[in-house]
Amino acid sequence: MILVTGGAGYIGAHVVLELMSHGEDALILDNLCNSSRSSLERMASISGRRPVFVQGDVRNRGVLDTLFHEYSINAVIHCAGLKAVGESVREPLRYYDTNVGGSVTLCQAMKDAGVFTLVFSSSATVYGDCARMPINETCATGNPSNPYGQSKLMAENVMKSMVASDPRWSVGLLRYFNPIGAHESGKLGEAPTLTPNNLLPYLLQVASGQRPALHVFGTDYETHDGTGIRDYVHVVDLAEGHLKALQALRAQRGVHIWNFGTGQGYSVIDVVKAFERVCGITVPLSYEPRRPGDIARCWADPGKASLELGWCAHRSLERMLADAWRWQCSQTHAFDTQVG
Ligand code: NAD
Ligand code: UFG
């Protein structure tokens, strides 16, 4: 059985679906601080299978010990964490406590239970403002400009030290670029409870009439149209990569770092235009100054994951946007599904 922490959340739920569709049993531990039980219903309605769910906190050693004692867990995919950059600036202790402290507690419980296979949700944010594009795994980690990014880098370093001290571990540090999109069924996707920080959830709320305009943060970057470039990757491609990473870790010990991106960068305006083309909706824009802490460009060299895992993201930007819009429409019930 695979323990998926944060398995009720956006990425974790897609990972759980992927595991179940490959015959793996999944156990979710989630405190539901940024998700709800409805994602469990959705997973069941898509797959016909219901993962075991335990509501609890990854920082709670007692809960972890009970799970490792009661279930036959052989690996952990650790997605539980906090991810809002702005919130991390306002509440740094909560971010370090959850993202670093929670990871330490989990690793301690795993070690004591004799479970040494771990896949960790890291982030391209650990590269900071990298001068060289595309970014490969040999690029130095940078100095992330916010506590969220720092907490991911610290958790990675904790895991690297842990592996260096004990050869029994197999740890995969998955550096996600910009996950977007939704399950093609339209039944599972990202459901932000507060004002979204990220481009796509905000754009979707503008497109569905919940907000007046999309703020385009910065029009004077050194890019082809002046707006920031990112590597958007479909959440289902990402989920498939977790299974591949798990399979590789079962065969090979040590710490392994893999970039999870497409290798293709798109600007904010590229994304808006593609969305308008695919979904047939005009997105009102409001041009704003740069957002503090943002970098101009960030895209992956995903070659290592392709070579070592046989994984590459194959869903196009258009597909990501169509799937995300289908999910948004199913959420708001305000529109008929308009995507092809
Ligand atoms: P999410 O908020 O949808 O999912 C995280 C889940 O973890 C939620 O269900 C939440 O309730 C749970 N959780 C949080 N703290 C917990 C705790 N202390 N104990 C138990 N459960 C807890 O976020 P997501 O987008 O699915 O992200 C998953 C992971 O990937 C996070 O660690 C995040 O930092 C990382 N990540 C996300 C992105 C992104 O853009 N979505 C990019 C890079 C890395
Ligand atoms: N942007 C806008 N308007 C918005 C939101 C974003 O113009 O309303 C722009 C940003 O300036 C940036 C691009 O859209 O150029 C992408 O911004 P996001 O906030 O969607 O994503 P980031 O690249 O800033 O960060 C995301 C996650 C981090 C993760 C990082 C990894 O939020 O958790 O990707 O690359 F670490």
Side-chain angles (χ1 to χ4, degrees):
M1 178 171 259
I2 315 296
L3 171 62
V4 184
T5 72
Y10 172 49
I11 296 168
H14 286 88
V15 169
V16 169
L17 268 186
E18 184 64 19
L19 289 173
M20 293 194 305
S21 75
H22 285 81
E24 301 268 9
D25 290 323
L27 162 63
I28 296 174
L29 174 68
D30 199 303
N31 67 2
L32 302 181
C33 71
N34 197 36
S35 54
S36 72
R37 282 175 190 273
S38 68
S39 68
L40 306 169
E41 304 307 324
R42 297 200 175 103
M43 282 182 243
S45 98
I46 293 168
S47 70
R49 289 184 65 190
R50 185 174 291 272
V52 182
F53 173 72
V54 173
Q55 184 170 355
D57 200 296
V58 79
R59 293 165 297 180
N60 185 330
R61 180 64 199 265
V63 170
L64 291 170
D65 287 345
T66 306
L67 292 185
F68 285 113
H69 182 71
E70 286 185 359
Y71 296 93
S72 176
I73 296 166
N74 53 60
V76 178
I77 299 181
H78 180 33
C79 299
L82 304 175
K83 63 169 182 175
V85 172
E87 191 181 62
S88 79
V89 175
R90 293 190 298 276
E91 300 178 66
L93 295 180
R94 194 158 76 87
Y95 271 69
Y96 289 118
D97 185 30
T98 299
N99 293 358
V100 185
S103 298
V104 171
T105 305
L106 174 67
C107 291
Q108 285 169 333
M110 288 178 69
K111 186 176 181 189
D112 287 350
V115 178
F116 292 99
T117 305
L118 174 64
V119 174
F120 176 58
S121 293
S122 189
S123 167
T125 192
V126 300
Y127 291 114
D129 194 356
C130 187
R132 197 156 47 98
M133 291 297 143
I135 301 174
N136 69 36
E137 294 84 349
T138 64
C139 293
T141 51
N143 185 19
S145 60
N146 54 76
Y148 164 72
Q150 290 287 351
S151 73
K152 287 290 171 188
L153 189 55
M154 288 165 80
E156 279 200 2
N157 286 333
V158 165
M159 291 169 194
K160 284 180 182 167
S161 310
M162 174 182 89
V163 175
S165 76
D166 186 340
R168 290 175 294 178
W169 284 97
S170 300
V171 176
L173 306 176
L174 308 189
R175 292 179 177 164
Y176 308 155
F177 280 67
N178 288 57
I180 62 169
H183 193 268
E184 65 175 0
S185 63
K187 293 179 177 173
L188 197 60
E190 189 170 16
T193 45
L194 304 170
T195 306
N197 295 302
N198 296 121
L199 178 64
L200 199 70
Y202 203 102
L203 186 159
L204 294 172
Q205 292 191 359
V206 173
S208 60
Q210 298 171 58
R211 298 186 186 277
L214 173 70
H215 306 293
V216 177
F217 294 134
T219 53
D220 58 351
Y221 287 110
E222 285 185 18
T223 61
H224 63 275
D225 60 17
T227 65
I229 293 182
R230 295 292 184 276
D231 185 338
Y232 298 94
V233 55
H234 197 296
V235 67
V236 175
D237 279 326
L238 207 64
E240 289 170 0
H242 286 69
L243 192 70
K244 300 251 184 193
L246 193 59
Q247 285 159 351
L249 293 173
R250 282 172 171 156
Q252 208 179 359
R253 290 187 183 174
V255 67
H256 306 272
I257 301 174
W258 292 297
N259 281 346
F260 273 16
T262 63
Q264 174 80 49
Y266 291 100
S267 73
V268 174
I269 296 299
D270 291 337
V271 172
V272 171
K273 283 187 178 157
F275 180 85
E276 291 182 337
R277 208 168 49 243
V278 172
C279 304
I281 291 168
T282 303
V283 180
L285 303 179
S286 124
Y287 294 99
E288 307 288 337
R290 293 181 181 194
R291 189 171 65 175
D294 269 359
I295 54 177
R297 304 175 310 146
C298 179
W299 68 90
D301 173 351
K304 185 166 181 278
S306 167
L307 194 70
E308 295 180 1
L309 305 178
W311 174 82
C312 60
H314 58 86
R315 291 168 176 85
S316 66
L317 179 66
E318 285 73 18
R319 172 83 185 272
M320 298 180 215
L321 298 172
D323 287 345
W325 182 236
R326 188 180 302 108
W327 159 250
Q328 178 73 22
C329 292
S330 79
Q331 286 291 287
T332 55
H333 303 294
F335 296 88
D336 293 325
T337 303
Q338 297 171 40
V339 291

